[in-house]
Amino acid sequence: MRINAHRLHESLRQLARIGATPGGGVTRLALSSEDRSARDLLRRWMEEASLRVRVDDFGNITGRRAGSESGKAVLMASHIDTVRRGGCYDGAYGVLAALEVMRTLNDAGVTTRRPLELVNWTNEEGVRFEPAMLASGAVAGRFTPEYVYGRTDRDGVTFGDELERIGYKGDRDNRPGPVAAYLELHVEQGPVLEDAGIPVGVVDGIVGITWSEITIEGRADHAGPSPMPLRRDALVAAARLIAGVDDIARAIEGAVGTVGRITAEPNVINTIPGKVTMSVDLRHPDSATLDRLVAGLERLASDIAALTGVTVAVNRFWTSEPTPFAAEIVDAVETAAAEMGISTRRFWSGAGHDAKYMQDVAPSAMIFARSINGLSHCEQEYSTPEDLEAGANVLLRAALGLAGIEGERTSHKRG
Ligand SMILES: [Zn+2]
């Protein structure tokens, strides 16, 4: 059994028209009117595929395909909201590939043992309402409904009001699940698969992320009469620290480190910078290694302070622990790809996805399709039709393996 690649691409093309940008991308912010139109189309397609559609109290849309057994379902999920001027594939691909799996099973007249559910998560991107992955986090119990409804956008409009305005505030009883296993197919958004010449990635988990705020205090002074040996230039110290963060990350396999934001004061051409604040983003699949990276950052900060006479404070203010996916689901995905003759590479996701929270709820895994030039969250985001087809076929096969086919014996445990 194979998915219908033409039908998948046609659905992607039609959905990408809603919120289309002149540059070939999509702007479809969560709970906007564009999001509503896209939801309406998705809902119609789900109903046409004979799915039983329900909407929960966070606006998550679930379409259920009955199995020969009732009870826990195998979920296939992603999101159709986008960032501003985002691409046509981030999120939409996972949702529409899951829809294509349902359509393919309908065409083949296959009944699975476990039910299958397709889920469109609300507000994955977190661009309009922070934080990201708000609705999956709420379903996993990380956020209360009050917290979710009270999130406001730039204009002070709340999540709760917008959810009602677009007509997608449903019932608590309509949340996805109960869940036997969770699968999320997504474009890679990075260069690993392209670099390896491999179409599909099997994702081991989502890396841990830790954010620190650095404050460097030196002495602001006139740029002319201050001889070099007598200066305490906060921005020179910051330059050493930025280079040092890069060194620290490069020295540890699998680590990445980024200084993405920096402010110098007073930020004037002829004044020695007296104060710098900057961010450090460190990521690694292993929690202890993440701590080692931060310890390295703290050592670096005190070395620079001693060398340059400034003070450097490191405040580690936020950490998202690494989330390894369930080995049995990761293996099921890898086996599915192998059975279809599709070559894969296993690696960790450097970005967050709804699967991170769902791993708290049920055994989960992700599948990646190769991204061209590793680009994402931009209009240039692209994956070839062949790679999208390969990823969707792995999703189909993995879902069948986990759900089982009526009347067939499988090696997968039930219960
Ligand atoms: Zn996404």
Side-chain angles (χ1 to χ4, degrees):
M1 210 185 313
R2 306 251 158 186
I3 61 110
N4 180 331
H6 175 75
R7 188 167 54 191
L8 171 61
H9 300 137
E10 189 53 31
S11 299
L12 276 164
R13 203 177 60 75
Q14 285 189 45
L15 189 67
R17 283 196 201 139
I18 303 173
T21 57
V26 181
T27 299
R28 201 164 51 226
L29 303 186
L31 309 186
S32 63
S33 297
E34 291 78 22
D35 188 16
R36 168 170 54 193
S37 301
R39 285 162 174 265
D40 290 349
L41 177 61
L42 174 65
R43 190 177 182 149
R44 178 160 67 77
W45 282 342
M46 287 162 85
E47 284 164 358
E48 284 169 3
S50 304
L51 303 182
R52 223 175 64 227
V53 180
R54 62 191 202 266
V55 178
D56 75 12
D57 48 341
F58 305 117
N60 301 313
I61 306 173
T62 299
R64 185 178 178 97
R65 189 174 190 275
S68 59
E69 300 170 0
S70 54
K72 291 184 174 183
V74 173
L75 261 63
M76 298 176 284
S78 199
H79 61 95
I80 58 172
D81 69 319
T82 73
V83 298
R84 275 191 187 78
R85 284 189 296 283
C88 307
Y89 305 95
D90 179 352
Y93 168 52
V95 171
L96 296 181
L99 177 66
E100 178 51 40
V101 167
M102 301 290 202
R103 290 166 165 170
T104 300
L105 296 176
N106 290 347
D107 292 346
V110 168
T111 301
T112 54
R113 281 209 307 269
R114 288 192 187 284
L116 295 175
E117 288 191 348
L118 185 178
V119 180
N120 171 50
W121 296 113
T122 300
N123 194 60
E124 191 276 343
E125 294 289 4
V127 174
R128 185 170 179 206
F129 300 102
E130 292 182 9
M133 307 176 300
L134 190 57
S136 57
V139 165
R142 298 280 187 115
F143 310 122
T144 63
E146 295 68 38
Y147 175 82
V148 173
Y149 295 141
R151 303 283 86 207
T152 54
D153 70 5
R154 275 192 211 173
D155 303 322
V157 179
T158 68
F159 181 103
D161 286 346
E162 281 295 84
L163 188 59
E164 288 199 29
R165 182 185 69 84
I166 68 164
Y168 274 89
K169 187 169 184 181
D171 299 325
R172 192 184 199 287
D173 293 346
N174 288 342
R175 291 185 187 178
V179 191
Y182 177 88
L183 293 169
E184 186 168 348
L185 171 64
H186 205 279
V187 288
E188 182 198 341
Q189 307 181 278
V192 172
L193 291 171
E194 186 175 51
D195 189 56
I198 287 173
V200 171
V202 178
V203 186
D204 284 310
I206 294 184
V207 298
I209 308 170
T210 191
W211 286 349
S212 299
E213 181 77 11
I214 312 291
T215 308
I216 304 175
E217 305 252 21
R219 189 178 58 214
D221 209 343
H222 196 296
S226 310
M228 299 309 286
L230 303 181
R231 293 176 178 221
R232 284 192 284 131
D233 185 326
L235 194 51
V236 169
R240 291 178 186 272
L241 200 114
I242 293 168
V245 166
D246 194 79
D247 291 341
I248 287 170
R250 282 175 196 273
I252 294 182
E253 173 83 28
V256 290
T258 307
V259 174
R261 171 171 55 69
I262 180 166
T263 313
E265 294 172 37
N267 210 19
V268 165
I269 191 167
N270 57 357
T271 302
I272 298 164
K275 183 175 178 182
V276 169
T277 49
M278 55 198 242
S279 62
V280 177
D281 173 314
L282 294 165
R283 303 183 184 217
H284 195 274
D286 174 63
S287 190
T289 309
L290 208 56
D291 291 344
R292 261 173 59 213
L293 286 161
V294 176
L297 172 64
E298 284 165 343
R299 260 197 318 278
L300 175 70
S302 63
D303 289 352
I304 290 170
L307 187 73
T308 63
V310 302
T311 63
V312 186
V314 177
N315 174 25
R316 181 183 184 179
F317 67 93
W318 181 78
T319 299
S320 170
E321 290 297 328
T323 304
F325 288 138
E328 70 270 26
I329 312 298
V330 176
D331 289 347
V333 169
E334 196 167 43
T335 303
E339 286 170 355
M340 303 207 79
I342 295 167
S343 55
T344 56
R345 155 85 49 108
R346 281 176 75 143
F347 58 103
W348 284 70
S349 172
H353 293 283
D354 292 303
K356 176 181 170 57
Y357 288 135
M358 289 310 289
Q359 173 61 38
D360 287 351
V361 173
S364 303
M366 289 190 75
I367 306 160
F368 279 169
R370 174 164 48 189
S371 293
I372 299 303
N373 297 322
L375 291 171
S376 179
H377 282 193
C378 60
E379 293 170 323
Q380 292 75 30
E381 178 183 283
Y382 181 70
S383 295
T384 67
E386 294 74 23
D387 290 350
L388 295 175
E389 180 180 359
N393 274 320
V394 174
L395 178 67
L396 168 67
R397 188 82 174 209
L400 282 177
L402 293 165
I405 297 176
E406 188 187 25
E408 249 185 31
R409 292 177 65 86
T410 73
S411 58
H412 290 283
K413 279 195 220 86
R414 297 164 61 189

